[in-house]
Amino acid sequence: LADGYVAGFGPVQDSAETDNEVFIYPGLTPDDADLPMTPILILPTPGDGNVILQWDGILGASSYNVYLAGQPGVTKDNYGSLPGGRRIAGIPLPSTKVCELTNGVAYHFVVTTVEAGDEGGNSGEASATPTPQPAPDLADVSALIRCLAGPGEPHPPTGCSVLAFHTADLTCDADVDLADFAVLSNLVEH
């Protein structure tokens, strides 16, 4: 359509019959009509100095951005002015492990979708407070072994859920590898 025109579709009453027709009329489209959809942030999972975030994947998304702060009301526009505010950009999958957090401090998160260079609106806000975790048990060792990623392995590897993969990333380096296994082995020994 030419600039300044909007198309619509709707019923038209013509004598005794009702038809559906396309209308073209002068008007404006909403400013956000071409922006990517907003993801739905799922309840975060707190860990020891970290929080695992998951959200619904958006078809066509090239990446996602996470915004966090130590105060409620965080958005992509104000995160830098809030205590502990920061942005994690370019996340390729609909989940991430946010590291370097202080145990006992409540963190507030929103997620945005990036598609073709455009960033969508903020998701609903979710909060979590990282807390020290008890020593792992044998099931944790077994889960870590299943999630070990070697060269060329998909992330997460086949048979390892995204949540298990993030949980097994004990070194917070976005990869589950022998360093994580060493950390877990050390925890089990003590």
Side-chain angles (χ1 to χ4, degrees):
L1 295 175
D3 286 342
Y5 287 87
V6 177
F9 182 77
V12 174
Q13 183 76 33
D14 185 18
S15 47
E17 295 183 14
T18 301
D19 291 325
N20 285 320
E21 294 185 15
V22 175
F23 298 95
I24 298 176
Y25 54 92
L28 299 173
T29 56
D31 289 338
D32 63 354
D34 293 326
L35 293 179
M37 292 183 63
T38 302
I40 298 172
L41 187 55
I42 300 168
L43 187 66
T45 306
D48 190 356
N50 63 70
V51 171
I52 298 171
L53 298 175
Q54 291 183 291
W55 54 91
D56 64 323
I58 302 296
L59 186 63
S62 53
S63 65
Y64 303 91
N65 295 332
V66 169
Y67 297 89
L68 66 133
Q71 178 178 320
V74 64
T75 69
K76 66 181 181 179
D77 298 320
N78 73 357
Y79 73 96
S81 65
L82 298 176
R86 71 181 199 211
R87 171 183 173 220
I88 304 168
I91 301 165
L93 299 172
S95 68
T96 193
K97 186 173 192 175
V98 181
C99 297
E100 299 176 13
L101 301 177
T102 303
N103 287 335
V105 174
Y107 290 89
H108 306 271
F109 304 89
V110 295
V111 178
T112 62
T113 304
V114 178
E115 183 180 322
D118 292 326
E119 185 175 19
N122 298 301
S123 68
E125 184 176 295
S127 302
T129 304
T131 55
Q133 303 297 304
D137 61 17
L138 197 52
D140 296 321
V141 175
S142 172
L144 180 58
I145 291 170
R146 282 194 311 276
C147 291
L148 279 174
E153 283 288 320
H155 293 276
T158 305
C160 176
S161 72
V162 171
L163 183 59
F165 185 74
H166 286 306
T167 302
D169 181 16
L170 299 171
T171 57
C172 251
D173 62 0
D175 194 9
V176 178
D177 51 22
L178 292 177
D180 297 298
F181 190 75
V183 169
L184 186 62
S185 296
N186 188 41
L187 289 171
V188 171
E189 288 176 11
H190 296 17

